Amino acid sequence: QAEGAVAYSHAWRALVFRAGAFEPDTTLDLADAVRTTTTGSAQPALAFRSGVLTAGALYSFELTVRGGDATTVGEVRVLINRPPYGGRLSVQPSTGSAAQTVFALAAVGWSDDPDDLPLSYGFAHAPAPSALATALAPPSKAPAFSTQLREGVEGRIELAVVDAYGGRAQATRPIAVVAPSCEALLGAVGSAAEKASMGDGFAALGHVASVATSAGTLSCADLPAAIEAARGGARRLRRALADADAAGGNGTANGLSLIHISEPTRLGM
């Protein structure tokens, strides 16, 4: 410090708005740089650790600066965003079969402050207690979603509701998805193959293949041949589209987009 320079000290304190007035928040120890802040209470800046401040609370943070014979006080008021609240996750039905049951998932009754809207909703599925949940679709403003699910008798559905400022709420519901019957799988593969023959079904076929993989313990003698036949049809369609593109087209024929072909799925028999 240069000779004759004034030494300044800094002291922060926190107040919270309750019952129409600000009062000292005795639950926040600003000097605790381990659990409450990352800066302590005697620095020019004040930074909090995640999760310390109360959602929905209005705070006043006061900084007192002293130097020489002068003292000044500054204040900043901060409203902590409250995440969406008051809602629940609906899963109907709670038990069903892979490749057969269509599950209706819905975020019901979620609210937030008007300035925090709109809300977005994301649904995910985990087939087992220890499994990570996989997103069923990108987050969207639609609070409902219907889908088939892969096998998992101790699975769960996860819902994430996020407001415009990133406030996040979550809900979870258990779900049991049992192995499909051979007849259900064969029917789903046949339907997907029909769509693939029209250039619009390979995503569905891939879903059926993943379901069949999870149900590999089933003794479905006709299933591997059915899947391979469906994939063969998709390959032929891709070759036809590629030929059309090579002849001067744009990769489409009769409005059909080029389809990606993956390797056949092996099923345990």
Side-chain angles (χ1 to χ4, degrees):
Q1 181 173 317
E3 184 178 352
V6 176
Y8 292 96
S9 66
H10 305 82
W12 287 93
R13 74 166 184 155
L15 301 93
V16 64
F17 193 80
R18 294 193 184 103
F22 282 99
E23 60 183 59
D25 189 341
T26 57
T27 67
L28 289 178
D29 181 4
L30 301 186
D32 186 345
V34 175
R35 290 172 294 186
T36 305
T37 67
T38 62
T39 57
S41 60
Q43 300 295 325
L46 179 65
F48 287 92
R49 295 192 178 276
S50 178
V52 169
L53 301 178
T54 301
L58 176 61
Y59 290 95
S60 171
F61 299 110
E62 290 184 355
L63 174 63
T64 301
V65 181
R66 294 182 174 87
D69 297 327
T71 299
T72 186
V73 178
E75 175 199 37
V76 59
R77 294 184 179 183
V78 179
L79 177 63
I80 306 303
N81 182 35
R82 176 172 57 173
Y85 59 90
R88 62 184 177 88
L89 168 61
S90 172
V91 178
Q92 296 293 334
S94 59
T95 301
S97 300
Q100 194 168 15
T101 304
V102 176
F103 296 90
L105 317 179
V108 181
W110 292 92
S111 301
D112 208 337
D113 299 327
D115 290 342
D116 295 352
L117 300 177
L119 302 179
S120 70
Y121 305 89
F123 298 92
H125 173 238
S130 60
L132 294 176
T134 301
L136 297 170
S140 75
K141 295 180 178 62
F145 181 72
S146 295
T147 185
Q148 292 181 333
L149 298 170
R150 59 181 295 192
E151 180 187 349
V153 294
E154 294 183 344
R156 67 184 184 278
I157 297 295
E158 295 182 0
L159 167 68
V161 186
V162 182
D163 67 22
Y165 293 97
R168 181 185 183 93
Q170 293 180 287
T172 303
R173 296 280 294 177
I175 193 166
V177 185
V178 300
S181 66
C182 294
E183 291 77 9
L185 280 178
L186 286 168
V189 170
S191 176
E194 181 181 356
K195 292 180 180 179
S197 70
M198 299 183 295
D200 189 33
F202 206 76
L205 182 57
H207 170 70
V208 171
S210 68
V211 172
T213 300
S214 69
T217 56
L218 288 177
S219 179
C220 301
D222 297 331
L223 188 57
I227 290 180
E228 187 55 38
R231 290 185 184 276
R235 290 190 189 95
R236 288 190 295 274
L237 176 62
R238 184 183 183 183
R239 285 195 295 269
L241 294 176
D243 291 343
D245 184 50
N250 59 2
T252 62
N254 297 323
L256 307 181
S257 299
L258 197 64
I259 297 175
H260 172 72
I261 305 296
S262 60
E263 289 302 312
T265 298
R266 295 186 181 274
L267 302 179
M269 302 307 295

